[in-house]
Amino acid sequence: TFDTEHVADIEMEGGGSFHFDIMGTFSMSVGSGDPMHGFTVPETYTCGWPKSDAPVYAGDYLLSVGNTLPDGFFLDRCGEAVRLHDFAGKYLIIDISAVNCPPCQSMAEQEPAFVEAMSSDGLEVEMITLLAPSLSAILDPTPTQTLLDWTEEFSLDSPVLADRGYGYWLAKEVLGDEFAYPAWIIVSPELEVIEVGKGFSNFDKIGASIRSHAGAE
């Protein structure tokens, strides 16, 4: 802690002067911060998600095909922080959606049948939805109840997570002015980004990309 005192005399052009006596204190200390802002991943997930315990991500946060998917931490419907890289080991489809987006709703509606069809072909796929509360509030927090409602509405077993802007910022960097909801990222079991795209009518293109990468067609 430092005590400070400063005296200033200011002469005015038209005559006269101002006199200031300034006193105060300045304190310095060292404390522990929380760079994760309270996002602490539990030993096991209450919602039952897998936990690969992948190495700590040390790369940059620029999304690019052929490089490792930047890690991220998001709240799930159980109110816990979930680590994206804990889903390593399967093909991942990161679905960047917003609640009031009709193509996003269509993608969620078709998701269970697509995942089952891929599994029947011997390809294990995990959909991870990063959900924004609305198209007009894509960076706002998504309430837990909204995550629950989306999960129940479309009968999903997969994680629906509060986006927090991750999906928007990373995918927009790749897609630029062509960014639109839904956007999606296909990721290999080793967490390598295979493809980034946007829009949805069906899963044909996404399924073909995964099959091609896996050498299944």
Side-chain angles (χ1 to χ4, degrees), residues 33-47 49 51 53 71-76 78-84 86 164:
D34 180 13
M36 295 305 299
H37 303 288
F39 281 69
T40 302
V41 175
E43 290 295 323
T44 58
Y45 292 119
T46 301
C47 277
W49 315 130
K51 202 161 190 294
D53 291 319
D71 205 358
F73 296 79
F74 311 89
L75 290 178
D76 68 6
C78 293
E80 290 180 330
V82 176
R83 183 188 177 202
L84 210 53
D86 269 337
R164 304 200 305 135

Side-chain angles (χ1 to χ4, degrees), residues 60-201:
D60 59 31
Y61 280 81
L62 296 175
L63 185 68
S64 60
V65 173
N67 289 327
T68 301
L69 174 75
D71 205 358
F73 296 79
F74 311 89
L75 290 178
D76 68 6
R77 61 179 180 257
C78 293
E80 290 180 330
V82 176
R83 183 188 177 202
L84 210 53
H85 279 197
D86 269 337
F87 293 90
K90 294 182 178 181
Y91 279 98
L92 305 179
I93 302 168
I94 312 299
D95 167 20
I96 303 161
S97 285
V99 170
N100 59 340
C101 156
C104 302
Q105 296 166 11
S106 179
M107 192 170 188
E109 186 175 27
Q110 296 182 41
E111 175 188 323
F114 168 72
V115 172
E116 183 177 351
M118 295 296 283
S119 180
S120 297
D121 291 342
L123 293 168
E124 295 300 314
V125 173
E126 182 79 80
M127 293 279 298
I128 301 175
T129 303
L130 301 182
L131 190 64
S134 76
L135 291 171
S136 61
I138 58 176
L139 301 181
D140 285 4
T142 307
T144 302
Q145 187 59 51
T146 301
L147 304 177
L148 284 165
D149 290 346
W150 188 268
T151 300
E152 293 172 1
E153 175 69 23
F154 300 107
S155 302
L156 303 179
D157 295 322
S158 59
V160 179
L161 310 175
D163 186 2
R164 304 200 305 135
Y166 168 102
Y168 169 75
W169 289 114
L170 262 65
K172 194 174 189 307
E173 188 70 24
V174 176
L175 299 172
D177 292 339
E178 294 185 0
F179 177 88
Y181 281 89
W184 40 266
I185 307 166
I186 305 174
V187 184
S188 78
E190 296 75 34
L191 298 173
E192 175 191 341
V193 176
I194 299 170
E195 187 175 351
V196 182
K198 50 92 176 178
F200 182 81
S201 57

